[in-house]
Every structure is written in structure tokens, then in C-alpha cells.
Amino acid sequence: MGSGSNMSHNSEQPLERVTIPALQQWKDKGRRVVMTTAYDAVAARIADPIVDIILVGDSVGNVCLGFDNTLPVSVAMMNHHLEAVARTRPHALLVADMPFLSFHVGSEDTIRNAGGFLQRGADAVKLEGGAKRIEMVRALVDCEIPVMGHLGLTPQSVNVMGGFKVQGRTTDTALRLLDDAHRLQEAGCFALVLEGIPAELAARATEFLTIPTIGIGAGPDCSGQVLVFHDVLGLTEGHRPKFVRTYANGFQLFQEALSRWAADIRKGAFPGSEECYRLPDQLRHAVANWAPSNSTTR
């Protein structure tokens, strides 16, 4: 995945690879970071010339695989989707989510799971949680595995939280989040996702942290923002969180295109002559005069 091997899909000039030191420089200069998800090669190729970070998120569970939440997503599932994205050799920093139970059962298994993601092309991993995860963060960082933290509304804690609810709205939880953010930075996280928390709390965290913060439902004052690819493009049906802004009605657009195609098939307008292959002239006569033999083959 060297910097000279990837070409922009919109230009013949290679895009410079996004690195962790570059993210820190952007934070220091006030340049905002753009991050989205990709779960397959098509989405990665669409997003890569535009964004700075691509996250192969365990959100694949509820976005693509039909689960109600992220808890059923396994390391094997994550490997499958990560490999698809990594094959595109993105210029964006490629981060893989550590799914539920992949970093909860001891340092050795955590290192093995995270290291497997890097061997499959990830540049870094992301894991959820605060003080309870410090030991695992340190173990990964000690093995030269870059770690992005994730605080606030952490989807793997949906059962404990009683649903997908805004966090940090009490004194105890707000101050605990700030303390956890500081501890994750001290443990070696290179960046921190802040999800589903009051904007003022995210602004305060961003102010005192030296590492970049990436907000999702955390207000405008973070170092950058992340939204799910399918949410930005309006590819999902049903309720959307308050923090989602859609920039296209992709679901309707794709259905309308498929409907036009189906209608063309039903009225005999597809395929047309331009979508057909033709026999060479010398074969047309032979094919036109072919008839089945009267003999029966046994």
C-alpha cells in the first residue's frame, strides 16, 4: 500500500497517502478531517478521492447485514469487509473497527485480532470504551498498532445504555467522559470518535485534547466529522438520527432506475441492438440452417 501505487479515480496524479502524523498536523492547523464508512470496494472507490479516513465499521451489521445492532458482528465478518476495501488501496487512512468480544477477553487475543486487521490492510483500529479499555489500548500501542478511541454513545453498549441514547447529560457522565478522553490520549490513542453527546461537551474535550476528535452527533467543534456512507447518500429507509444530514435520496434514485430497467424488459425494449453480440458473417448461414438430428443420443 505504498504512496506511489494508488491513483486517484478522478485524476492521473497519485493522491498522497493520509497518515496519522498528517492528521495531527491538521488538528494543530485547524484543518477539519472528513471520515466516512465503506464496507465494500465500490463504496471505497467512490469515497476515497474525497475523504481523509475510511472506516470499515462494525456498523456493517445493521447497515448491510440486517442485524438490529452491531453486537452480532464477528472478527470473520470484519475481515471479509476489510479485505474488500483494502484491495482498492485507498489513499485515505484505513481504520477497522474492533467488533464486540474482539478486545474484551485479554491482551493476547486483542493483539491477535487487531494485528490481523493490520495484516489485511488496515492502517489502524478503532475500539469503544473508556477507562475499562485502557489496558487494551496500551497493549496495542506497545505492539505498534495505532488505536482510535470511541466515547459517548458506543453502539456495543446499547443494552447497558437502554438503547441508542445521547450520553453525557448528567454531571457524573459528562465529567467521566472528559476524564476517559484524557486517559485514552495518555494511553496512546491517536484520535478519538465522540458520538451522541452534547455539543458543548465535545467542544470542551476537543479544546483540552491534543489529539484530533471526530464527531458524530457531537456538534460542530470537533476536529472532524464522520457519518455512515449510506446515511450521507440516503441509501437506507426508516428513522434517521437527528445528527444525520442526507445529501441525496439514493434509495429512491436506485429504485427508480431499477424500475425503468424492469419496464424496458417487460415491453421488450431491453436489450437493444447496441447491447447485443453478433455472429461473424461466415457463421450466420450455418446457424440459420441448423436443425436437430433425427438420431437419438443415449
Side-chain angles (χ1 to χ4, degrees), residues 63-83:
V63 174
C64 295
L65 302 181
F67 298 128
D68 292 332
N69 52 54
T70 64
L71 297 180
V73 176
S74 66
V75 171
M77 292 175 186
M78 289 299 302
N79 285 337
H80 175 79
H81 291 278
L82 170 61
E83 288 170 359

Side-chain angles (χ1 to χ4, degrees), residues 5 33 42 84 86 145 177 259 265 269 272:
S5 64
V33 177
V42 172
I145 298 174
L177 185 142
S259 295
I265 292 174

Side-chain angles (χ1 to χ4, degrees), residues 102-281:
S102 69
F103 59 99
H104 304 72
V105 289
S107 298
E108 184 175 343
D109 285 336
T110 299
I111 292 167
R112 183 180 297 110
N113 290 328
F117 288 159
L118 264 63
Q119 290 175 325
R120 288 169 172 83
D123 299 309
V125 300
K126 180 174 75 65
L127 58 80
E128 298 180 8
K132 295 178 181 178
R133 309 302 170 212
I134 297 299
E135 178 184 351
M136 300 308 173
V137 171
R138 286 179 176 153
L140 293 175
V141 172
D142 284 347
C143 292
E144 312 298 333
I145 298 174
V147 180
M148 176 181 286
H150 186 161
L151 292 175
L153 197 171
T154 47
Q156 292 175 17
S157 304
V158 61
N159 291 330
V160 175
M161 294 177 177
F164 297 103
K165 299 179 179 179
V166 176
Q167 301 297 302
R169 280 181 159 170
T170 68
T171 300
D172 287 345
T173 57
L175 296 182
R176 187 183 308 122
L177 185 142
L178 293 174
D179 183 64
D180 282 347
H182 176 72
R183 294 184 66 179
L184 286 170
Q185 176 176 273
E186 292 298 301
C189 285
F190 70 88
L192 192 59
V193 170
L194 300 175
E195 179 172 358
I197 63 174
E200 299 89 346
L201 183 58
R204 179 58 180 148
T206 303
E207 180 183 7
F208 80 76
L209 291 174
T210 59
I211 61 174
T213 59
I214 311 295
I216 175 168
D221 295 315
C222 295
S223 311
Q225 298 289 329
V226 56
L227 282 179
V228 169
F229 178 91
H230 294 63
D231 286 341
V232 176
L233 299 182
L235 294 173
T236 53
E237 287 186 295
H239 170 75
R240 294 190 181 103
K242 178 180 180 178
F243 56 77
V244 169
R245 182 186 297 178
T246 59
Y247 287 79
N249 191 342
F251 192 91
Q252 181 179 343
L253 180 66
F254 287 177
Q255 277 202 329
E256 288 174 351
L258 282 169
S259 295
R260 293 198 303 271
W261 171 64
D264 280 350
I265 292 174
R266 291 175 180 132
K267 67 185 181 183
F270 177 86
S273 59
E274 66 274 17
E275 288 115 7
C276 293
Y277 302 104
R278 297 297 178 187
L279 281 171
D281 290 341

